Amino acid sequence: MALILFAASPLGPDFIYVMVGIPALLFMWAIAGAGAVVVSVRSAMRKEWRRCLIALVLPIVLLVVALDPFRFVRSCNYIGDVVHFIVSKPYYDREIAALPSDQRPRLVVFDWGGMAWASSGLVYDETDQVSLPKGRQSADWLAAASHSELSCEGYGVQPLWDHYYLASFPC
C-alpha cells in the first residue's frame, strides 16, 4: 500500500523517492518479513498452528515478490498513477473544457515531473492518435504535439479511458 500511495502522490516520479524511498520501503518490508518468520517459528514450537500459518503469509508474499521485484514495483507505480488520475480527473476535465473551441485537435500533456532525462504524465488526445505507430499521425496532430513532450523521440503511452493516456517521456 505504501508504494502505491507514494506513487499516487507528487513524490511518485521524484528522483530521490525512486532511488532511495522505494529501496527503503522494500528493506523495511523485508525486515517485517524476517520478524514474521520468527513469529511463525515460535508459534510452531508452541503448536499454535493457526498463528504459525498466518505469520507465514508475509514471508511467502516476499518470496514471490523477490522473484521479480522490478515487476512488482512497476505494478505498484502503475496502480499509483491510476489512483492519481482518478483523484485528479475533475481538474483535468476542467482544463480540457477551458481550451479554446477553435483548438483542434484537442491535445493536452500534463507533465507530472520526474528526472532531468525522463518524466511521466498524462496525455489527453481526443483523436487517440497518440497511440498510433510513429508516422501514422495527421499533420494537424503532429503540429499540436510539436509544442509538447510528445515531440520527444520514443515516448510511450498506455490507454486509460475517455481519450486519456498514461505517458512516459524520455526527455
Side-chain angles (χ1 to χ4, degrees):
M1 282 302 282
L3 288 174
I4 292 170
L5 291 175
F6 278 118
S9 77
L11 289 177
D14 186 67
F15 178 75
I16 294 173
Y17 167 69
V18 171
M19 299 307 291
V20 178
I22 291 174
L25 286 170
L26 293 176
F27 182 70
M28 288 187 294
W29 198 24
I31 290 172
V37 168
V38 170
V39 169
S40 180
V41 169
R42 286 185 179 169
S43 298
M45 289 173 31
R46 295 181 189 141
K47 298 187 193 285
E48 297 172 347
W49 302 117
R50 183 175 177 174
R51 185 174 183 184
C52 173
L53 291 174
I54 290 171
L56 277 178
V57 171
L58 179 59
I60 291 169
V61 169
L62 283 171
L63 287 174
V64 170
V65 168
L67 295 174
D68 193 356
F70 294 107
R71 182 176 182 177
F72 174 75
V73 170
R74 278 192 304 269
S75 298
C76 290
N77 286 340
Y78 175 76
I79 293 168
D81 287 345
V82 171
V83 168
H84 179 168
F85 169 70
I86 290 169
V87 168
S88 303
K89 188 174 184 304
Y91 165 77
Y92 299 128
D93 289 341
R94 282 192 307 273
E95 290 291 311
I96 291 161
L99 291 174
S101 60
D102 63 339
Q103 182 179 336
R104 297 285 182 203
R106 290 195 305 182
L107 178 66
V108 183
V109 175
F110 300 96
D111 192 347
W112 290 348
M115 292 152 221
W117 58 89
S119 64
S120 64
L122 185 72
V123 174
Y124 176 83
D125 179 11
E126 73 180 0
T127 65
D128 296 318
Q129 293 183 54
V130 71
S131 63
L132 295 176
K134 184 177 173 162
R136 305 269 313 208
Q137 292 87 3
S138 70
D140 289 342
W141 188 92
L142 290 171
S146 69
H147 304 292
S148 71
E149 288 84 348
L150 295 173
S151 63
C152 298
E153 183 69 33
Y155 68 84
V157 295
Q158 292 178 294
L160 287 171
W161 58 82
D162 291 337
H163 308 294
Y164 285 102
Y165 296 82
L166 287 177
S168 59
F169 309 110
C171 60

